[in-house]
Amino acid sequence: MTEATPTLPADHRELISDLSGIVSDYPYGDPEATLAVLVSDAAEAVGGSGTPEGRRERTGYTILLHATCWYASARVFSKSLFASYIQVLDAFRAELDRSSCTCPAGAHPVDLDSEYEVEAGASMLTEAGRAAFAEDYGLADEEMAAFDCEGFLADLIDEGVHHMREAHQERFGDIDVSYLDARFVRDDGGVDVVAMQEAISRSWENNTGPVALWCARRWLSGQVRDEDRIGLFLCLWMGIAQTYEGLPPSYARDVAAALATIDVDATCGHPQHPWSTADSNVQSRYRAVVHLYAPDDHPDTPVPAELSARELWECPVQYAQLARTALHNVKAWRTMRGGDDEDWES
């Protein structure tokens, strides 16, 4: 007789498939629901380290939570999911004694690819899975034992919890953008719309979110001169429209509040407004705004002369049209990133 080839349990193969899709940023289903189930299953394993099965599960779930916490913090804006991750990881950490590590230097797995980490974590949950994983990757007994080392697991947890706490502040906390005052407020108290446009155009610097938040707060403060109103609002609009992955609640709250000041049901007799001629692409929008505020320096504009009057730019319907599309985007962020209503509103 030949020894049977070890195989991973079917439900764990499915778990690997689901979580690999998530960490590669191509989830098959609802990632928030999948990750919530993972955390719930991990919570049931807390306190079981007195048995071999419990220690296997502690290793497996610690690795899985570490592998997925980067996606959870970047893509799912749910306070309860953040809290659950931190709570379970802290509970596992309390069971670990880093000083018990007797591994030689360099024995711990390092720089693990997220998909490999998902496969490793799911495999560590059972003896059959471990045997299959060791065979697939040609790992010796001492290499497999390193995954169970309390020092290794403690390091994973400390890194994961630190990241989740920092991400929680970024996603839900109070974001300081006051440093932009020095860049966008002129000596006479007006706002430098051209400077804001140039900042938004440098998308590789991740400027759109901070600029949108700064504009929203400036708008809500009432510190806006009449001649700067449409420019500030257009910069807010562009910061929203050009943040393709969506802004988190820490930004969206003030952005939504600024948009809520606009009467979206306004009416007028104008057949067309300037922005409708400049909304086809990012560069067109940029040229329209910088020409409006610095026509001598930026003479190229997509807005035809017959639609360039300030009266048309400042028409309440122009603001209403902009606000409606921006509010649609903000609503889409909430749908796309999940979380509860209170996560986005408080």
Side-chain angles (χ1 to χ4, degrees):
M1 293 181 61
T2 58
E3 186 175 346
T5 301
T7 59
L8 195 68
D11 58 335
H12 290 174
R13 290 198 299 272
E14 184 178 353
L15 178 64
I16 290 173
S17 177
D18 290 343
L19 296 183
S20 291
I22 286 174
V23 299
S24 63
D25 211 8
Y26 288 96
Y28 306 122
D30 179 0
E32 183 177 358
T34 300
L35 295 175
V37 170
L38 172 66
V39 177
S40 178
D41 290 345
E44 292 181 6
V46 171
S49 59
T51 67
E53 179 184 5
R55 287 190 290 274
R56 286 194 297 269
E57 290 186 341
R58 180 179 67 188
T59 295
Y61 283 122
T62 294
I63 295 172
L64 290 173
L65 293 176
H66 180 268
T68 57
C69 73
W70 317 103
Y71 180 95
S73 62
R75 293 286 190 258
V76 183
F77 300 153
S78 166
K79 287 183 181 179
S80 62
L81 188 65
F82 272 72
S84 296
Y85 262 81
I86 293 170
Q87 182 178 9
V88 175
L89 286 170
D90 280 343
F92 279 142
R93 182 66 177 85
E95 299 178 2
L96 300 171
D97 178 9
R98 181 181 276 109
S99 66
S100 68
C101 172
T102 58
C103 300
H108 293 168
V110 294
D111 299 326
L112 300 179
D113 174 82
S114 57
E115 290 188 64
Y116 175 87
E117 198 173 4
V118 162
E119 185 176 357
S123 300
M124 296 297 150
L125 295 170
T126 63
E127 281 294 344
R130 286 168 176 250
F133 186 77
E135 182 170 296
D136 287 346
Y137 288 94
L139 301 179
D141 289 346
E142 62 272 17
E143 292 175 297
M144 288 296 295
F147 284 101
D148 292 311
C149 172
E150 294 193 18
F152 167 66
L153 296 175
D155 287 342
L156 287 186
I157 290 173
D158 290 348
E159 182 181 43
V161 169
H162 177 73
H163 174 74
M164 292 297 285
R165 293 189 190 281
E166 283 196 333
H168 187 279
Q169 171 61 27
E170 173 66 18
R171 303 294 177 257
F172 304 107
D174 184 25
I175 305 300
D176 181 13
V177 290
S178 61
Y179 64 91
L180 293 175
D181 291 355
R183 294 172 57 185
F184 298 154
V185 180
R186 299 197 302 262
D187 292 341
D188 63 2
V191 296
D192 191 336
V193 174
V194 173
M196 287 190 286
Q197 281 295 305
E198 291 173 349
I200 293 172
S201 70
R202 296 193 300 273
S203 58
W204 58 89
E205 296 180 2
N206 296 318
N207 281 326
T208 51
V211 172
L213 181 58
W214 188 89
C215 291
R217 289 180 176 168
R218 188 78 179 182
W219 183 271
L220 291 168
S221 74
Q223 297 177 301
V224 187
R225 301 190 310 185
D226 288 346
E227 59 266 34
D228 294 334
R229 280 176 56 83
I230 188 61
L232 184 69
F233 201 76
L234 289 170
C235 290
L236 168 61
W237 188 93
M238 291 173 69
I240 295 168
Q242 293 166 207
T243 305
Y244 304 113
E245 295 182 350
L247 292 173
S250 53
Y251 290 74
R253 288 191 297 264
D254 286 343
V255 165
L259 296 174
T261 66
I262 303 300
D263 177 9
V264 296
D265 296 319
T267 60
C268 73
H270 302 135
Q272 192 175 11
H273 296 87
W275 197 242
S276 63
T277 66
D279 63 357
S280 58
N281 59 67
V282 172
Q283 186 58 31
S284 177
R285 297 165 183 165
Y286 171 82
R287 290 189 292 113
V289 178
V290 296
H291 173 81
L292 181 63
Y293 278 87
D296 293 337
D297 295 332
H298 302 274
D300 184 23
T301 175
V303 180
E306 64 270 18
L307 291 176
S308 62
R310 266 306 174 101
E311 175 192 358
L312 292 174
W313 278 108
E314 295 288 354
C315 176
V317 172
Q318 174 81 98
Y319 283 96
Q321 291 170 346
L322 291 165
R324 280 196 296 269
T325 59
L327 286 167
H328 175 78
N329 285 345
V330 173
K331 183 178 180 180
W333 298 343
R334 297 175 65 155
T335 301
M336 176 172 57
R337 297 305 179 201
D340 298 322
D341 288 345
E342 55 265 30
D343 296 338
W344 289 87
E345 295 169 0
S346 62

